[in-house]
Amino acid sequence: MKKKVFSSVVLSSLVFGAAYKVPEQSINSMALGAAYVAHTMGADSSYYNPASMSFMDNSQWLEGSVTLVHLSSIKYDLVDPYSGKSKVENLVIPNFHYVSKPYDDIRWGVSIVTPAGLSKRWDTPYQKLYAQEFTLRNVEINPTVSYKISDNFSIGGGVRIIYSEGKVYSDGSDALYPIKREMRGDTIEFGYNLALLYKAPQDINFAVTYRSKVDLDEDGDANLYLGDIGKQYSADVSIPIPAALNVAISKTWNNSFTLEFVYERTFWSEYKTLDFNYSPEIINPILKEAFDKPIDKSWNDTDTFRIGATYKMDKLTLMCGFAIDETPIPDKTIGFELPDSDARIYSLGFKYEQTPQLSWGMAMLYDDKDNRVIPAGVADNEVLKNGGEFSEGGALLTTIGLSYKF
């Protein structure tokens, strides 16, 4: 396996938003619930809409923030001994954004973010049989550029450079299945993003952004055990970060109050199977059946609807947001590695201009997950095919950070 050294703080792992995509990567986006595409206001424009860099003032812009993530445990109810509860996760996620000064009609920027992630851990017997730990960690470097075509229209784009590492542990010993898997892998992958912004009369902005799909082809090693006898294999698995299309409109009144609406389409249907590959080929029929069988996913494309409000005073800017978020995971293919559900997202925050150059702020976001009842006889998973209910879960995120221009 390729060996990389990344700080566990920078290389964050989490489950938040629909499935494992994480759209909130700055103070403004967190405060607005990611209703932040047509009316971007700082260095994070390099990530959320690089086309808007063309209309920023001639300064250089910097922003850095840290997000504290609390992921509540998820409870699964059936009958004993099949019921279980996942572990609570507490994580720290930093991000960084920069926008250069303009060079005629061209401007560039760069963002360092965590675009997706997953970490779900179970200690209860029938859950850890499938997902004692299922972790996907990512960090993305996203250099971008904008080109100002006219006084009211600009285009932009960038390159996505993503380092990812994954960990999959399964242990059936407590459920009287003497099998175990320990797998680690990593990869570096590439993608792109595109953007446009049109500034219409009467302070109305129209924006479209697109982020490409990136397949994370994790390559590493796996230790497979039957009882106390184990063997090491070379192993790989592919997990997609899906493409996403955002269409947004904002309206500003009196240079102080702004409303923004965002429609987001996420193309999760590209996630068709979870297929672990091993070399040499697994010979033992018990291990082959347990670990070398492709797992159907057949996820669905999703729609997310976001609204954000910004009120700018002399030195203080107040923000709030609301979103309705769909899960892409059908009942048939849901698993313990990611028992996701539909959600409503509530957010608020502020930024304060300490000096003309320096601002600081804070934002909070609550992801309220619906309970999810799985009908008996529907799911492929051998435990979940008996039915049951996932409840609790959800996430609370708190972001603090600084912005500076010079």
Side-chain angles (χ1 to χ4, degrees), residues 128-134 167-173 177-184 221-226 231 233 235-237 274-278 282 287-293 295 337:
K128 65 188 285 189
L129 171 62
Y130 298 95
Q132 180 182 19
E133 180 174 354
F134 200 107
K167 180 192 298 184
V168 179
Y169 287 4
S170 306
D171 186 354
S173 56
Y177 292 89
I179 54 175
K180 186 166 69 172
R181 168 174 54 189
E182 299 170 348
M183 178 181 173
R184 291 175 178 265
D221 300 321
N223 296 315
L224 305 183
Y225 298 86
L226 179 60
K231 182 176 179 179
Y233 298 82
D236 65 80
V237 65
L274 181 64
D275 189 5
F276 295 90
N277 301 298
Y278 303 93
I282 298 174
L287 293 177
K288 190 174 183 67
E289 176 67 20
F291 299 130
D292 199 21
K293 185 178 179 181
I295 301 170
E337 76 280 2

Side-chain angles (χ1 to χ4, degrees), residues 61-77:
W61 296 67
L62 282 170
E63 179 178 321
S65 62
V66 175
T67 297
L68 310 176
V69 182
H70 174 77
L71 301 175
S72 301
S73 63
I74 296 175
K75 186 179 180 183
Y76 172 68
D77 287 309

Side-chain angles (χ1 to χ4, degrees), residues 32-50:
L32 293 164
Y36 188 63
V37 178
H39 182 255
T40 59
M41 300 173 288
D44 53 355
S45 298
S46 67
Y47 184 73
Y48 286 96
N49 188 341

Side-chain angles (χ1 to χ4, degrees), residues 5-196:
V5 179
F6 271 79
S7 164
S8 60
V9 173
V10 174
L11 199 59
S12 303
S13 60
L14 65 160
V15 171
F16 169 64
Y20 49 83
K21 187 166 67 70
V22 187
E24 293 83 3
Q25 299 288 335
S26 68
I27 297 172
N28 293 336
S29 65
M30 189 70 69
L32 293 164
Y36 188 63
V37 178
H39 182 255
T40 59
M41 300 173 288
D44 53 355
S45 298
S46 67
Y47 184 73
Y48 286 96
N49 188 341
S52 68
M53 295 189 297
S54 296
F55 300 104
M56 298 168 67
D57 71 33
N58 292 337
S59 304
Q60 298 182 69
W61 296 67
L62 282 170
E63 179 178 321
S65 62
V66 175
T67 297
L68 310 176
V69 182
H70 174 77
L71 301 175
S72 301
S73 63
I74 296 175
K75 186 179 180 183
Y76 172 68
D77 287 309
L78 186 58
V79 294
D80 289 335
Y82 301 103
S83 298
K85 198 168 187 178
S86 69
K87 290 186 175 183
V88 172
E89 308 284 351
N90 290 294
L91 309 162
V92 180
I93 306 170
N95 58 68
F96 170 82
H97 307 277
Y98 169 77
V99 173
S100 75
K101 65 181 182 180
Y103 298 90
D104 294 326
D105 293 325
I106 297 174
R107 204 161 189 170
W108 67 271
V110 64
S111 295
I112 302 175
V113 298
T114 301
L118 188 158
S119 184
K120 191 54 57 186
R121 298 179 296 161
W122 302 80
D123 276 342
T124 43
Y126 284 89
Q127 287 70 44
K128 65 188 285 189
L129 171 62
Y130 298 95
Q132 180 182 19
E133 180 174 354
F134 200 107
T135 296
L136 181 67
R137 297 175 174 174
N138 301 287
V139 61
E140 175 174 347
I141 301 174
N142 183 204
T144 57
V145 65
S146 69
Y147 179 69
K148 190 175 182 181
I149 295 176
S150 68
D151 288 340
N152 58 2
F153 184 65
S154 178
I155 58 174
V159 177
R160 308 182 66 188
I161 306 165
I162 300 177
Y163 173 76
S164 172
E165 65 180 32
K167 180 192 298 184
V168 179
Y169 287 4
S170 306
D171 186 354
S173 56
D174 291 345
L176 304 181
Y177 292 89
I179 54 175
K180 186 166 69 172
R181 168 174 54 189
E182 299 170 348
M183 178 181 173
R184 291 175 178 265
D186 63 357
T187 189
I188 297 176
E189 305 292 351
F190 299 90
Y192 64 90
N193 61 298
L194 303 172
L196 63 85

